Amino acid sequence: MTETYFDGATAQPPHPAARDAYAAALSEGWAGPGRLYTLGRRSRMLLEAARQSAAASLGVSADEVTFTSSGTQAVHAGVLGVIAARSGPGPLVHSAVEHSSVLHAAQWHEARGGQVSVVPVDRLGRVDPDPLAVVDSAASVLAVQSANHEVGTRQPVAEIAANAQGVPLVVDAAASLPWEPVPAGWSVLAASARKWGGLSGAGILVVRSGVRWRNPFPGEDSSIREALGEVDVAAAVAAAASLRAVVAEREALSARMRVLTDRIREHIAETVPEVELPGDPVDRLPHIVTFSCLGVDGEVLLTELNRAGFAVSSGSACASTRLRPSHVLQAMGCSRTGTCGCRCTGRRRRRTWSGSWRSCRGSWSRSGGSQGDRDLGPKTTGITGRRARLSIAKDLQL
C-alpha cells in the first residue's frame, strides 16, 4: 500500500538540499562553535555562513538572525524577550487563533504577574487591521501570525504594523514562510525549519535592528545568541540550505498547489454531507484544506484514513491525545457540537499529493511513490574535509 502524506503543515519531508547539507556539515561542524581551537572555529564559520545564507533568503541583515533549537523556542524568545526589554507594564496582546507556542508564552507571562489581552477574529479567522483599538491600555508587544496554521487564513500583517503605533510586532511565520514572502512591517519574526523541509531541532528568530530585546530566561542578561545557548550547527546549515532552495521554488510550487487545493475544496463541498470548510476561501495559504464534519468521530475518521494509507491531521480539532475542540475553530465560531475537523496539507516536493484522492472523497490523481523517496538519499554521506566544505558552500550558495 502506498502511504500518502497529507500533513505538511506539521512537518515537511527533509528537502534534498537539507539532507545533503546536513551530511556534509556533520563531518565539519560537530565541535562547539564557541571554542577557540581549529575545530571550534570551523564550526563557527559554518554557523556564520548559514546565518548569512538565511538572512539573504529572508531579505534581512545577518546580524539580525539567530538560530534556535525549534520554532517554539524562537516564538518564546521573541515574545518574552521583547516584553522583558520594555519599560512599561502594558499587556501582551495576541490574536485568539495564535499557535499554542504563543498561548503558552502568554500563560507563562500572566502567571508571573503580567497582563494579557486576547484580540478576537472574524468568522474567517482574520484579525482586525487595527487590533490594538480594542485594548484598553498601551500594549508592550503585539503577537500576530502571518497566516493561520489550521485553516490557512492570511492575516493583514502590513496593515496591522501600520496601525501598531510603535508597539513591537512579533510575527509567527512558520506556516507561511515556505510558501510566500512575509509582508513588511514586523519587528520580530519566528519560524521552524521543519515546516520547509529542514530538520527538526532548528528554528529561526529574526529581531530587527533597533528592536530592544532582553533575556527573559534564567541566566545572565547576555546577547540573544548567548542567552539561547549553542545550536546544532549541522541542523542550522541544513535549515539555511533548504530555505534557500525553497524560496527559489516557492512561487511556482505555490501556484501549482493552489490549483490542487481549490479542486479538493470544491469536491468536498459537492460530495460530503454536513461539511464545513472554515477559513477564507480565497485569501489563504495555498497548501491547506480544512473541513469539519458533523456527527463524525474524529479519532475513527483519522484511523480509517490511516488504514487507507493517508496521513491526515486533525488540525488540533479532535486529536486522540486532546479530545477537545480546536481553539482556532472556537475563536472563529466554527466549532459545532458533534463536529470534528480534518486538515489536509500538501508536501513541497513536485511529486506531491500522491495517492488516489478518490478513496479519500476527493479528486487528486496518483502521482508519486516510494521510489521518489529513495531518490532523496544524501549524496554527500561520508565525505570529509575540503570536499565537505565545498559541498556546504554550494548548498548555501557562498
Side-chain angles (χ1 to χ4, degrees):
M1 179 179 65
T2 300
E3 293 187 355
T4 305
Y5 186 68
F6 281 158
D7 196 19
T10 297
Q12 293 285 341
H15 195 285
R19 294 195 180 202
D20 290 350
Y22 186 82
L26 194 61
S27 65
E28 294 290 301
W30 53 267
R35 301 306 179 187
L36 297 178
Y37 43 74
T38 300
L39 291 174
R41 291 199 302 270
R42 189 173 295 164
S43 293
R44 186 163 61 253
M45 290 174 62
L46 288 176
L47 189 58
E48 288 300 322
R51 186 175 291 116
Q52 292 175 16
S53 178
S57 298
L58 296 170
V60 300
S61 173
D63 60 6
E64 297 174 332
V65 176
T66 299
F67 287 102
T68 63
S69 62
S70 66
T72 295
Q73 187 190 36
V75 168
H76 289 172
V79 172
L80 299 175
V82 171
I83 293 176
R86 302 282 285 183
S87 56
L92 156 60
V93 181
H94 67 81
S95 82
V97 295
E98 295 300 305
H99 187 268
S100 59
S101 58
V102 174
L103 304 186
H104 294 158
Q107 293 168 4
W108 191 89
H109 176 61
E110 194 170 30
R112 285 153 181 76
Q115 303 175 54
V116 175
S117 294
V118 181
V119 178
V121 296
D122 61 20
R123 181 76 178 181
L124 298 177
R126 183 165 291 111
V127 182
D128 186 89
D130 189 9
L132 296 180
V134 299
V135 180
D136 295 332
S137 55
S140 60
V141 65
L142 172 60
V144 177
Q145 59 197 183
S146 55
N148 187 259
H149 54 290
E150 285 192 27
V151 299
T153 298
R154 295 189 183 108
Q155 301 296 351
V157 173
E159 293 88 342
I160 291 172
N163 294 319
Q165 301 176 352
V167 176
L169 174 60
V170 179
V171 172
D172 173 13
S176 69
L177 183 59
W179 301 95
E180 57 193 28
V182 180
W186 49 270
S187 308
V188 176
L189 181 142
S192 173
R194 67 177 188 159
K195 306 295 185 181
W196 64 72
L199 305 180
S200 297
I204 287 182
L205 174 65
V206 184
V207 180
R208 301 310 301 260
S209 298
V211 177
R212 296 180 60 192
W213 188 93
R214 186 174 181 180
N215 183 15
F217 306 119
E220 297 181 4
D221 188 12
S222 53
S223 70
I224 185 170
R225 292 169 193 166
E226 293 175 340
L228 297 183
E230 291 187 357
V231 298
D232 185 336
V233 174
V237 171
S242 55
L243 178 61
R244 181 182 65 82
V246 162
V247 167
E249 67 189 15
R250 67 183 173 189
E251 183 176 357
L253 189 55
S254 293
R256 178 174 177 269
M257 193 67 68
R258 169 76 62 175
V259 174
L260 295 173
T261 53
D262 283 345
R263 287 172 59 189
I264 190 58
R265 287 177 65 90
E266 293 172 2
H267 195 80
I268 286 177
E270 293 172 357
T271 59
V272 181
E274 297 290 347
V275 68
E276 183 176 7
L277 291 152
D280 195 306
V282 178
D283 191 10
R284 59 178 175 83
L285 294 179
H287 67 301
I288 295 179
V289 177
T290 299
F291 56 95
S292 58
C293 305
L294 181 64
V296 177
D297 185 288
E299 189 171 356
V300 172
L301 174 62
L302 298 185
T303 299
E304 290 303 314
L305 287 172
N306 182 61
R307 287 177 178 173
F310 297 94
V312 176
S313 167
S314 68
S316 301
C318 53
S320 59
T321 56
R322 292 186 297 169
L323 295 176
R324 62 174 182 265
S326 159
H327 73 277
V328 171
L329 297 183
Q330 282 187 320
M332 295 168 58
C334 299
S335 183
R336 300 173 293 173
T337 302
T339 63
C340 172
C342 185
R343 180 184 67 179
C344 301
T345 49
R347 290 174 55 171
R348 291 199 55 86
R349 291 191 59 234
R350 185 162 184 81
R351 281 193 277 187
T352 188
W353 304 100
S354 58
S356 174
W357 178 247
R358 292 187 184 90
S359 63
C360 191
R361 304 285 301 192
S363 61
W364 286 305
S365 61
R366 187 179 305 274
S367 62
S370 58
Q371 179 61 44
D373 293 333
R374 289 197 294 269
D375 291 342
L376 286 176
K379 301 179 179 60
T380 55
T381 303
I383 66 174
T384 58
R386 184 172 180 274
R387 287 181 59 203
R389 290 190 289 275
L390 289 174
S391 175
I392 296 168
K394 179 181 178 181
D395 289 328
L396 297 180
Q397 207 172 39
L398 298 177

